[in-house]
Amino acid sequence: MPPRASNTKPKRPKDSNLLAKSVVEDLIGEKWDGSPLDKPHEREKNPHAVAMSKLGASKGGIARAASMTAKQRSKIAKKAAKARWNKVA
């Protein structure tokens, strides 16, 4: 049995922007692969600022741990472990 005419047409997207894109692609007969909407542009980071950040981050945790009592560190560790194990995947 031959397929129905309505089943041979490609499905159109429900999003109005994607629908407009697909209509234009059909009219010009080409596919648009390199759309700026497909993947966001990553911003460039200042390497000096990144290096300074890493220096401060490595010192921060050690300084915080040194200023706490063993009981405070234990309480924070237990809270972190509980949060880690209570996550639902």
Side-chain angles (χ1 to χ4, degrees):
M1 180 174 209
R4 294 183 180 193
S6 63
N7 289 343
T8 60
K9 294 180 184 177
K11 288 196 172 195
R12 297 284 188 186
K14 292 186 179 188
D15 180 26
S16 60
N17 292 327
L18 295 176
L19 175 63
K21 179 184 173 210
S22 69
V23 169
V24 170
E25 286 176 345
D26 289 345
L27 289 173
I28 64 172
E30 295 178 13
K31 288 280 188 190
W32 285 352
D33 293 329
S35 173
L37 300 176
D38 290 342
K39 45 190 162 186
H41 177 70
E42 288 189 31
R43 66 184 181 107
E44 295 178 24
K45 295 182 179 179
N46 181 348
H48 182 69
V50 170
M52 293 296 288
S53 163
K54 287 182 181 177
L55 285 175
S58 64
K59 293 177 186 177
I62 296 169
R64 180 174 182 231
S67 69
M68 285 193 248
T69 65
K71 190 173 182 179
Q72 288 173 324
R73 286 194 305 270
S74 175
K75 184 178 176 183
I76 290 171
K78 285 178 184 177
K79 181 179 176 184
K82 187 176 180 182
R84 204 169 32 248
W85 285 97
N86 284 337
K87 284 186 181 176
V88 177

